[in-house]
Amino acid sequence: MNESLLRELVPAVIGVLVRRGADFAAAEDAVQDALVEAVRGWPDDSSPNSSGRGYPVRDPKGWLVTVAWRKFLDAVRADTSRRRREKLVEAEPVPDPGEAVDDTLQLYFLCAHPSLTPASAVALTLRAVGGLTTRQIAQAYLVPEATMAQRISRAKRTVSGVRFDQPGDVATVLRVLYLVFNEGYSGDVDLAAEAIRLTRQLAAKTHHEEVAGLLALMLLHHARRPARTGPDSRLVPLAEQDRNLWNTQLITEGVEMLQTALARDRLGEFQAQAAIAALHADARTAEETDWVQIVEWYDELVRLTDSPVARLNRAVAVGEADGPRAGLAALAELNPSLPRHAAVAAYLHERDGDPVTAARLYAQAARSAPNLPERDHLTRQAARLNAQLRS
């Protein structure tokens, strides 16, 4: 049973059912039921015959459409009036899916509809577009399965009245995919890899330059993943990473994707972030990093987004390009309550030769760290400086 093929087919199969008259929520449920049948009945490394077992056939999508449509009709027969039931049964199409329309892009738009909260949009995207089970999504986000099931059900109810062919917002879809990517890995699902797969799928459906920009950004960040943690699972800062561990194939692909996007001359925030990541990837050592260019790209990113996080990262880049005093001056313009503000201040004060202030700020940053690896790293930085001061 080819699980990756199954998941790639999910959006198209849902689209077929919706175009046949099923509402989105019912179509998504029916496709999930069909996936269960496929998992149970398909032989390894092949597709099923018409009964779901035995020798491979040429059309796994057709099989999923047929089974999902029957599951939908079964639900209709159980839950709706006799007249509605008879009308749908009489209109039942032949098993061949037939429809040539690809609704994958519309499904992305629906799952990232502005009426949904970010958490709901992420969950619905992973389920309806990604083909993950509710259990897998719940494990990835460390919540009970029942809680995730309720979240997905509420999301489906929220978008139930949205027309399937209604124009969508690519920017909203990209932010949802970036949220998925930043979750990294937990449970039995690699969410970073899943986000890359979904963004690749989206890039194949649209030539939007920011889709290419986001995919480039993901690939360039993912390329550094093998070097981000040491053998003891400790966080390794970018400047200390073993660059021989970086995935050069992903870097090459990401840079080429970015160049294609930038050539369209419609700069967006994800292209700017990808350009910064590409400059880091291009440096053979941390000392060879072109910080002046990175500051220029952060200037573009701030112009595009006016994001406090972009300004915070720019302060670090300014500190590398023009010295720690310049970085601290840029940091002074920002709200100290900004997440990771204390960590950046600690780093710049240490670079400026003030270990006492740096140690205090590292400890402060550790107390508000968003995750355990980051907290442990900041705690060790504070302990290192305190040990130096005592000696």
Side-chain angles (χ1 to χ4, degrees):
M1 187 270 296
N2 190 330
E3 183 178 346
S4 62
L5 172 63
L6 275 177
R7 290 168 58 195
E8 288 173 5
L9 291 172
V10 165
V13 176
I14 292 176
V16 170
L17 266 63
V18 170
R19 288 191 174 275
R20 289 182 175 182
D23 64 85
F24 168 70
E28 200 279 329
D29 287 339
V31 172
Q32 287 290 330
D33 289 341
L35 291 176
V36 172
E37 291 294 320
V39 170
R40 290 174 179 169
W42 289 21
D44 291 339
D45 300 321
S46 65
S47 304
N49 59 23
S50 59
S51 66
R53 302 179 184 279
Y55 58 86
V57 295
R58 298 177 181 175
D59 190 11
K61 176 185 173 183
W63 186 92
L64 284 173
V65 169
T66 299
V67 174
W69 184 251
R70 288 175 181 167
K71 295 287 185 183
F72 167 69
L73 290 176
D74 288 344
V76 169
R77 292 185 183 103
D79 299 334
T80 64
S81 68
R82 178 185 173 197
R83 179 164 45 179
R84 172 66 175 154
R85 177 176 72 239
E86 290 176 348
K87 181 179 178 181
L88 284 169
V89 172
E90 289 171 1
E92 181 177 356
V94 295
D96 185 349
E99 292 88 341
V101 177
D102 187 345
D103 292 305
T104 301
L105 186 57
Q106 291 305 126
L107 200 58
Y108 274 95
F109 292 147
L110 186 65
C111 292
H113 194 268
S115 62
L116 295 172
T117 64
S120 295
V122 164
L124 193 56
T125 297
L126 288 173
R127 163 110 178 191
V129 183
L132 298 180
T133 65
T134 302
R135 180 187 60 80
Q136 287 174 316
I137 302 170
Q139 287 182 345
Y141 284 90
L142 305 177
V143 300
E145 184 173 351
T147 300
M148 185 57 68
Q150 291 174 356
R151 184 181 301 173
I152 293 171
S153 294
R154 285 196 299 268
K156 288 195 288 188
R157 286 197 299 271
T158 299
V159 300
S160 61
V162 178
R163 283 174 45 202
F164 194 65
D165 58 351
Q166 180 175 317
D169 179 19
V170 172
T172 304
V173 175
L174 296 181
R175 288 190 179 90
V176 169
L177 292 174
Y178 198 38
L179 284 174
V180 176
F181 179 79
N182 285 329
E183 285 297 327
Y185 177 87
S186 57
D188 62 354
V189 177
D190 186 337
L191 288 175
E194 178 64 14
I196 290 173
R197 184 185 75 83
L198 293 176
T199 308
R200 284 189 192 278
Q201 184 171 275
L202 180 60
K205 306 297 179 185
T206 176
H207 296 294
H208 196 289
E209 59 280 352
E210 274 290 79
V211 176
L214 177 58
L215 181 55
L217 176 63
M218 289 179 174
L219 293 171
L220 290 164
H221 279 314
H222 206 53
R224 302 202 300 259
R225 181 172 176 175
R228 282 202 190 101
T229 54
D232 54 359
S233 298
R234 289 187 177 187
L235 184 68
V236 180
L238 176 61
E240 300 173 20
Q241 289 176 13
D242 180 355
R243 301 187 178 214
N244 292 319
L245 297 177
W246 290 1
N247 188 320
T248 55
Q249 183 177 349
L250 289 181
I251 290 173
T252 299
E253 183 184 1
V255 169
E256 290 176 352
M257 183 75 62
L258 173 62
Q259 290 173 338
T260 299
L262 291 175
R264 297 171 189 164
D265 199 25
R266 291 192 294 269
L267 184 63
E269 61 177 294
F270 289 117
Q271 295 169 75
Q273 290 186 62
I276 293 167
L279 286 167
H280 282 298
D282 188 54
R284 291 176 296 178
T285 65
E287 292 72 25
E288 294 179 55
T289 304
D290 189 342
W291 286 106
V292 173
Q293 269 205 74
I294 288 176
V295 171
E296 291 174 355
W297 276 110
Y298 271 120
D299 288 341
E300 291 287 349
L301 186 59
V302 168
R303 179 183 64 80
L304 289 165
T305 66
D306 196 27
S307 163
V309 174
R311 292 181 181 276
L312 182 68
N313 291 328
R314 180 185 177 278
V316 176
V318 168
E320 299 291 353
D322 301 327
R325 294 282 176 91
L328 287 167
L331 187 65
E333 300 174 3
L334 304 178
N335 190 330
S337 65
L338 191 65
R340 296 188 173 92
H341 185 284
V344 170
Y347 174 75
L348 292 172
H349 276 289
E350 182 180 0
R351 288 277 320 280
D352 194 39
D354 184 358
V356 174
T357 301
R360 175 178 58 79
L361 288 169
Y362 275 130
Q364 176 185 331
R367 289 192 293 271
S368 59
N371 54 65
L372 185 60
E374 193 169 330
R375 187 193 71 185
D376 290 346
H377 170 71
L378 292 167
T379 300
R380 285 192 298 270
Q381 296 295 88
R384 172 180 58 82
L385 289 180
N386 284 323
Q388 291 175 3
L389 290 168
R390 285 195 298 270
S391 63

